[in-house]
Amino acid sequence: MKIIAVEGPSYAGKSTAIEHLRSSGIERRAFVSDCYVRQIAHRDEIPPARTESAAAQLAAFEKFMAIENSRVRAALASAKPVAVLDRSVDTLLAHAHALDALYGYDVHDHLRDRLQELPFLRPDHTLYLDVPAEALNLRRKLAGHTATESDYFLHDPAFLTHARNYFVSRARPPVSREVIVLRADTDPADVAHAVESLVTFWAR
């Protein structure tokens, strides 16, 4: 099975691109999975983006990996030759990388080791939607979410910088075998069509 992941910060346009792929009929030949956060039934059960300790970060990783294991089973059961994922295990590693840099948790290497023990979907190709912090904040504001989530850690400038560096600078290479960076601060529909072109090419 060939695994294609769509990555990027919150509000980068991943979900829009996945929805476009579905409307274009990608599911006729590919298993498509929403972000694992959407697969947690109750909002209060989602681990916080800013954990308070290394132990809490490790616990959050284990919770998300349980969902990742479910995605493995569902993808294999689909018997389709391609899987398209909204986020992948690299999201978890990028998050850990950022928190290590900000708070000194020192969990990133431990999580990479844990991945060797767990069945997970290692992407063959990852498309990283690259959007500047200013554009992300504007999109969130236009969506009407700034009033309800004034302190949005996933758009903290320092967090965004470190999480982006995981994919872009690749000092510690992502798990994905290939990462393509796509500028995505343009019209979301244009971004979705660009994602479709690359996914269609990789899925041949």
Side-chain angles (χ1 to χ4, degrees):
M1 172 178 280
K2 181 179 289 187
I3 311 302
I4 302 169
V6 182
E7 290 278 7
S10 181
Y11 292 87
K14 299 180 300 300
S15 296
T16 298
I18 294 291
E19 288 169 7
H20 174 72
L21 288 171
R22 282 183 161 134
S23 68
S24 300
I26 192 69
E27 289 177 299
R28 287 192 294 269
R29 62 184 188 280
F31 170 85
V32 181
S33 178
D34 291 322
C35 175
Y36 35 74
V37 170
R38 292 190 176 188
Q39 299 180 44
I40 297 178
H42 302 290
R43 185 178 179 84
D44 57 1
E45 294 179 359
I46 301 173
R50 178 168 44 195
T51 50
E52 298 298 326
S53 66
Q57 185 60 28
L58 293 172
F61 172 82
E62 295 296 339
K63 185 176 185 68
F64 286 129
M65 281 307 299
I67 297 172
E68 198 69 9
N69 287 342
S70 296
R71 292 212 286 184
V72 171
R73 292 192 293 272
L76 295 176
S78 74
K80 293 180 178 178
V82 178
V84 179
L85 308 179
D86 183 344
R87 297 195 181 276
S88 72
V89 291
D90 272 319
T91 288
L92 307 180
L93 291 176
H95 200 104
H97 170 78
L99 294 186
D100 278 6
L102 292 173
Y103 306 124
Y105 286 170
D106 196 26
V107 300
H108 180 88
D109 287 343
H110 176 75
L111 298 189
R112 291 187 82 99
D113 291 342
R114 278 289 285 136
L115 288 177
Q116 304 306 313
E117 306 167 18
L118 295 166
F120 68 99
L121 292 175
R122 179 187 181 189
D124 296 287
H125 305 282
T126 291
L127 185 53
Y128 181 79
L129 305 186
D130 195 19
V131 181
E134 297 80 9
L136 294 172
N137 287 322
L138 178 59
R139 289 179 182 181
R140 185 166 161 266
K141 182 177 181 180
L142 292 174
H145 296 162
T146 52
T148 56
E149 297 177 302
S150 57
D151 181 23
Y152 192 63
F153 178 67
L154 293 178
H155 282 181
D156 176 88
F159 174 83
L160 284 171
T161 296
H162 292 300
R164 178 182 185 274
N165 284 345
Y166 172 80
F167 289 99
V168 176
S169 71
R170 304 174 198 176
R172 290 296 306 276
V175 171
S176 180
R177 294 175 175 86
E178 179 187 29
V179 178
I180 299 296
V181 178
L182 175 67
R183 180 179 171 180
D185 57 346
T186 56
D187 183 85
D190 292 339
V191 174
H193 281 93
V195 170
E196 180 187 14
S197 295
L198 280 166
V199 169
T200 301
F201 174 76
W202 285 328
R204 291 185 301 180

